[in-house]
């Protein structure tokens, strides 16, 4: 639900892959991992093109400047190999997607963010929303609300780790 929590969540997801490989000694065992970007972590579900365009607005919402510059990010910091000082320690969205992780992106928060962008840019909210959805990170799916996706996943036997 927080920007830093998103970074920690990527690290935890990677730890699960490493631990599974170790525990099963190379035997076939693939964990089902879904990282949910919701609330103030939602912008990390969008690609670099969107961050280049709206990074200033994202930073005003989530208060997560680029630690290398102190300025608003121009790229998705959680998909950058150059930002290993963050809590994800260089584990990127793309790295986890390649391992099979999926990403749930909160549509409720995306609508809120689209509204903030529309208000600051004079664009129509639905057009901004469609642009955000079209520029999601790989292996991602929009869910009506991140918190609802989390509770539903537990109903289907998923364990919940919170970062």
């Amino acid at each position: 639900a927080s920007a830093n929590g998103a970074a920690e969540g990527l690290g935890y997801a990677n730890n699960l892959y490493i631990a599974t490989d170790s525990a099963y000694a190379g035997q076939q065992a693939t964990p089902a991992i879904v990282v949910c970007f919701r609330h103030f972590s939602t912008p990390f579900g969008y690609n670099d093109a969107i961050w280049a365009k709206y990074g200033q607005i994202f930073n005003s919402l989530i208060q997560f400047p680029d630690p290398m510059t102190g300025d608003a990010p121009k790229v998705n910091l959680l998909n950058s190999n150059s930002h290993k000082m963050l809590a994800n320690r260089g584990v990127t969205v793309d790295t986890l997607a390649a391992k099979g992780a999926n990403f749930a992106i909160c549509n409720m928060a995306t609508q809120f963010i689209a509204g903030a962008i529309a208000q600051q840019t004079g664009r129509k909210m639905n057009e901004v929303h469609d642009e955000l959805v079209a520029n999601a990170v790989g292996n991602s799916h929009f869910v009506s609300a991140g918190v609802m996706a989390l509770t539903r996943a537990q109903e289907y036997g998923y364990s919940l780790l919170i970062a």
Side-chain angles (χ1 to χ4, degrees):
S2 70
N4 197 58
E8 291 172 345
L10 294 184
Y12 293 161
N14 193 57
N15 286 348
L16 285 170
Y17 282 114
I18 292 168
T20 299
D21 287 345
S22 174
Y24 290 94
Q27 294 179 14
Q28 188 69 7
T30 305
I33 296 176
V34 179
V35 176
C36 183
F37 294 127
R38 66 181 196 88
H39 204 59
F40 290 125
S41 72
T42 303
F44 297 112
Y46 314 134
N47 66 24
D48 284 346
I50 288 298
W51 276 87
K53 192 170 183 179
Y54 302 122
Q56 187 73 36
I57 297 171
F58 294 159
N59 190 51
S60 72
L61 295 171
I62 67 173
Q63 303 297 305
F64 200 74
D66 185 327
M68 294 169 67
T69 66
D71 296 327
K74 294 182 171 85
V75 297
N76 183 337
L77 298 179
L78 299 189
N79 210 21
S80 167
N81 291 319
S82 301
H83 291 82
K84 295 181 184 195
M85 74 289 292
L86 298 173
N88 56 314
R89 300 173 318 279
V91 175
T92 66
V93 170
D94 286 346
T95 299
L96 291 175
K99 291 181 178 186
N102 285 279
F103 300 90
I105 304 171
C106 179
N107 190 55
M108 186 175 284
T110 296
Q111 289 173 344
F112 172 80
I113 292 165
I117 292 170
Q119 184 177 21
Q120 292 186 41
T121 63
R123 295 185 57 209
K124 293 181 180 177
M125 183 182 146
N126 63 329
E127 291 174 0
V128 175
H129 177 268
D130 291 348
E131 179 184 27
L132 295 174
V133 170
N135 285 278
V137 295
N139 273 17
S140 65
H141 312 276
F142 281 82
V143 295
S144 60
V147 69
M148 187 166 127
L150 294 172
T151 57
R152 295 287 299 167
Q154 290 176 83
E155 291 175 9
Y156 287 95
Y158 279 80
S159 297
L160 176 63
L161 299 175
I162 299 174

